[in-house]
Amino acid sequence: MEFSTYTLPNGIRCIHKQVKSAVVHCALTVNTGSRDEQPGEYGMAHLVEHTLFKGTHRRKAWQVNCRLENRGGELNAYTTKEETVVHATTLRGDYAKAVELISDIVFFPTFPEHEIEKEKNVIFDEINLYKDAPTDRIYDEFEEMMFAGSSLGHNILGSKAALRRLHSEDIRRFVARTYTTDQMVFSLIGNVSEHAFRQAVDRYFANIPASRRSFVRTAGPVPEPFSRTVGRSTHQVHCMRGKRAYDLRDERRLPLLLLMNLLGGPSANSLLNVLLREKNALSYTVEASYTPFTDSGIASVYFSCEKENAARCLELIERQMTDLAEHPLSPRRLAVAKRQFLGQLAISAESNESYMLGAAKSYLVFGEVDGFEDARERVDAIGAEDIRRVAEDIFTGMSDLIYR
């Protein structure tokens, strides 16, 4: 394991990697996201993320914001369907201040009511921005349909009506229920020794009272395939085609990642980019993605195009998917796909912050962090028939959502 690991008596797990750098990145990853909201709380996880910065028992909101920024550092956070992450970047000499500040805002926030009301208006503006972006909105609406009736079936921002009903006491109850120490990983990467790292986490995290999660997550039943068209008065057609997919622990997860990267990953030579954009000039944007969750997942293809080209795009995508499901990749194409995928992994690992956040997620879910060589071995073991079987499974019985 490239990261050293350390578990505090209260259950908070810690991972650390020492690298030569003048910059230190650290983060607290909490296994709490929008899927952990109960009815009436939609938007709560994201609201908590915003209001953590609005004051603690020791600091006013402006003091939180200035603590690292005045020294050239950064403090930020984000919320997903399954995690909330508070992360900081500082110069090496200021890393202990970042560790202390993260501990302070996560474990000792005051959630002042007047600050909450102000922050709701900021989130309302974020919601308006989201509604003006069909590219973002269609992803969320498609997931709502794929996970209807499940805690995964509502978007992270929530609604204005739901947020207006949330107050300080509601936030405190949510945090007490979901921010438990057995569901946290603190991570750090930078030129900090393991001894210094342990001193810092002992000082600022070890005295937090232990707590354990008392609920479990459920993804809900898989829906029947559907095809829906929604009027959005957009200049272009926006289309999602997808299906429920494998969870994080499924052994088919890696072949599916490789398949979706080949089909519509970020490279210009992805199959769908070549087919729709380069050869036929039908679409500027086409991409395939796979998002695994702890107990489910979703695989999808998104594209936008002129309205008269939508049917042709769907036809070409269906033809490409059928080909992948019926014919194994040639040895050369498989080798190129693996080399490309591993190259992307290696390049992404050059960003210490991204590498650390990915390692924290892995340790949170699996209790271990694999190095690049471990990933290479698993990718090398994937055969053409493994990919074909996954394509046959995932590309059969897909659903469509179209904005017109």
Side-chain angles (χ1 to χ4, degrees):
M1 181 182 290
E2 297 185 8
F3 282 78
S4 62
T5 64
Y6 180 46
T7 301
L8 295 169
N10 56 19
I12 297 175
R13 289 167 284 171
C14 307
I15 64 172
H16 160 264
K17 181 176 176 63
Q18 185 170 4
V19 298
K20 292 182 179 180
S21 175
V23 174
V24 172
H25 305 280
C26 60
L28 184 68
T29 300
V30 185
N31 195 24
T32 296
S34 60
R35 71 170 305 179
D36 301 309
E37 299 161 350
Q38 297 175 339
E41 293 180 334
Y42 295 166
M44 175 71 87
H46 181 247
L47 178 62
V48 170
E49 174 223 311
H50 275 239
T51 53
L52 287 173
F53 293 77
K54 297 306 174 181
T56 72
H57 294 290
R58 294 185 55 194
R59 294 181 171 95
K60 301 293 185 183
W62 68 269
Q63 292 173 312
V64 170
N65 291 332
C66 292
R67 177 63 168 161
L68 300 181
E69 277 77 356
N70 282 354
R71 297 170 176 270
E74 297 177 356
L75 176 70
N76 213 330
Y78 62 86
T79 306
T80 72
K81 293 207 168 184
E82 294 198 322
E83 299 93 37
T84 302
V85 180
V86 181
H87 56 103
T89 299
T90 68
L91 295 176
R92 177 172 176 266
D94 296 324
Y95 81 91
K97 295 179 177 62
V99 178
E100 184 274 331
L101 183 60
I102 290 175
S103 174
D104 192 33
I105 67 172
V106 172
F107 295 108
F108 304 101
T110 53
F111 299 122
E113 195 68 46
H114 68 284
E115 291 285 359
I116 292 170
E117 292 306 311
K118 287 196 299 183
E119 201 61 25
K120 286 179 184 179
N121 290 324
V122 173
I123 297 175
F124 293 164
D125 190 60
E126 192 175 354
I127 290 171
N128 290 337
L129 182 65
Y130 151 80
K131 288 182 176 180
D132 282 341
T135 303
D136 296 330
R137 189 173 184 179
I138 195 169
Y139 273 90
D140 280 345
E141 191 164 348
F142 188 71
E143 287 194 6
E144 288 176 20
M145 295 175 178
M146 293 304 299
F147 293 101
S150 158
S151 57
L152 284 166
H154 60 272
N155 72 57
I156 294 167
L157 295 179
S159 68
K160 294 180 182 179
L163 287 168
R164 286 191 180 99
R165 293 191 294 267
L166 299 178
H167 298 283
S168 181
E169 285 304 314
D170 303 307
I171 292 175
R172 291 191 181 94
R173 281 193 295 270
F174 178 82
V175 169
R177 181 172 63 87
T178 62
Y179 276 53
T180 53
T181 56
D182 66 324
Q183 301 294 324
M184 296 179 176
V185 169
F186 185 77
S187 54
L188 184 146
I189 188 167
N191 196 6
V192 177
S193 70
E194 184 175 351
H195 175 72
F197 171 73
R198 291 196 177 205
Q199 279 189 320
V201 295
D202 280 345
R203 181 174 182 182
Y204 298 117
F205 288 97
N207 291 328
I208 303 302
S211 53
R212 296 187 63 82
R213 176 158 293 180
S214 60
F215 63 90
V216 295
R217 294 165 166 170
T218 57
V222 178
E224 291 295 321
F226 59 82
S227 182
R228 298 180 190 173
T229 299
V230 179
R232 291 290 183 208
S233 301
T234 54
H235 290 290
Q236 290 184 307
V237 165
H238 298 264
C239 181
M240 292 288 297
R241 168 165 286 189
K243 185 180 179 181
R244 290 268 283 268
Y246 314 128
D247 64 51
L248 281 165
R249 292 179 175 83
D250 196 303
E251 63 182 11
R252 296 167 293 179
R253 177 174 65 97
L254 197 54
L256 180 54
L257 280 169
L258 189 60
L259 171 66
M260 299 306 280
N261 193 62
L262 170 69
L263 180 66
S267 297
N269 67 347
S270 71
L271 295 176
L272 292 183
N273 192 68
V274 170
L275 185 60
L276 267 63
R277 178 173 174 168
E278 301 300 330
K279 287 186 176 180
N280 293 285
L282 295 172
S283 174
Y284 175 74
T285 302
V286 57
E287 55 195 27
S289 62
Y290 162 47
T291 303
F293 301 113
T294 53
D295 55 352
S296 187
I298 185 167
S300 62
V301 171
Y302 161 80
F303 70 89
S304 61
C305 66
E306 295 302 312
K307 296 180 180 181
E308 61 270 19
N309 293 331
R312 177 62 173 159
C313 286
L314 285 168
E315 177 189 349
L316 291 172
I317 291 170
E318 179 67 26
R319 187 184 302 172
Q320 182 63 77
M321 288 179 168
T322 300
D323 182 66
L324 289 167
E326 293 181 350
H327 304 103
L329 298 177
S330 68
R332 180 184 178 279
R333 173 159 280 186
L334 178 61
V336 170
K338 289 180 178 181
R339 189 181 308 118
Q340 183 180 60
F341 184 68
L342 288 169
Q344 291 169 347
L345 283 180
I347 290 170
S348 67
E350 287 296 300
S351 165
N352 283 338
E353 183 178 38
S354 297
Y355 182 39
M356 176 199 69
L357 293 172
K361 166 75 173 182
S362 178
Y363 198 59
L364 185 68
V365 174
F366 302 109
E368 60 183 10
V369 181
D370 289 337
F372 181 75
E373 288 306 314
D374 298 308
R376 181 191 295 277
E377 289 178 7
R378 290 203 301 274
V379 170
D380 284 344
I382 297 171
E385 185 60 20
D386 298 322
I387 294 177
R388 190 205 64 77
R389 284 196 296 267
V390 166
E392 183 180 38
D393 180 29
I394 295 298
F395 296 157
T396 301
M398 300 190 92
S399 297
D400 294 331
L401 172 64
I402 301 173
Y403 283 181
R404 285 189 178 274

